[in-house]
Amino acid sequence: MPGISNDWLNVMEPEFHKEYYKSLYFYVRDEYSRYKCFPPADEIYSAFDLTPLSKVKVVILGQDPYHNDGQAHGLCFSVKPDIEIPPSLVNIYKELQDDLGCEIPNNGYLVKWAKQGVLLLNTVLTVRAHQAFSHRNQGWEEFTDAAIRGLNQQDRPIVFILWGKPAQDKRRMLTNPNHLILTAPHPSPLSAYRGFFGSKPFSKTNDFLVSHGEQPIDWQIENI
């Protein structure tokens, strides 16, 4: 799997030399050689590649990649343009429409968000096909925790959007008073009606950014 080459390297490079990462590297290499895994190997670090550390304004934490064919491409909740929009993202779009009046697009390709400074980070970055959470507890969590700690140390205002308990468990690392933390139930059909709908994370994010002199996020995803 290719490495990280932008300014994230300053934060993440020490992780590459730790024993857990060496074990993780060989585990992932073996999995990809023996099984179908997602995302494609050259897209494992897409979240870091598309959203350099110096550009991060917003962090949305997911769990692990989509595990069905053709879906995952390295950004949490996002799918490639020709793939059916997954249920959780359908609900995200519904909340976005209710919150900001955005039109619901015909695709789930969220690269536009990533390029504006929305880090779409899963806490586990790979998965075996059709087996959710199959690469959990192999070292990815330690790796992405290092990224979260690096973000916490940034003194500019950053919004952390934590949907569901696994994401909210990371809140203990977010101690910097410059940042805004927004929590809500996960947008999956199982929990969206327990408080995700109506939580208005997108307007709250933009209000915070504007109040700190930052450009707001254009959340509208265009049709393809």
Side-chain angles (χ1 to χ4, degrees), residues 50-148:
L50 288 168
T51 314
L53 176 60
S54 61
K55 303 297 185 184
V56 175
K57 296 180 177 181
V58 183
V59 181
I60 298 178
L61 286 182
Q63 297 181 33
D64 70 335
Y66 294 124
H67 55 82
N68 289 328
D69 291 337
Q71 292 180 309
H73 65 106
L75 304 180
C76 73
F77 295 107
S78 181
V79 291
K80 294 180 180 179
D82 56 344
I83 298 296
E84 183 179 358
I85 302 172
S88 290
L89 185 52
V90 168
N91 287 336
I92 290 170
Y93 282 161
K94 288 178 181 176
E95 177 61 20
L96 185 54
Q97 184 177 53
D98 290 344
D99 187 6
L100 290 178
C102 292
E103 296 295 323
I104 295 177
N106 64 2
N107 68 91
Y109 194 54
L110 304 182
V111 166
K112 177 181 177 179
W113 294 359
K115 289 183 175 180
Q116 292 181 82
V118 181
L119 181 69
L120 297 166
L121 183 66
N122 280 311
T123 55
V124 175
L125 299 187
T126 58
V127 68
R128 193 187 297 182
H130 315 304
Q131 296 184 37
F133 303 119
S134 49
H135 289 182
R136 186 167 49 179
N137 299 326
Q138 298 294 334
W140 279 129
E141 294 90 344
E142 189 168 349
F143 184 79
T144 54
D145 278 359
I148 294 168

Side-chain angles (χ1 to χ4, degrees), residues 58 60 91-92 95-96 98-100 159-163 180 182-185 187 195-209 217 219:
V58 183
I60 298 178
N91 287 336
I92 290 170
E95 177 61 20
L96 185 54
D98 290 344
D99 187 6
L100 290 178
V159 181
F160 291 84
I161 299 176
L162 309 180
W163 291 327
L180 174 66
L182 300 176
T183 63
F196 172 77
F197 289 132
S199 60
K200 300 187 179 300
F202 308 103
S203 60
K204 290 176 181 176
T205 292
N206 279 355
D207 288 348
F208 178 81
L209 292 174
I217 304 299
W219 294 102

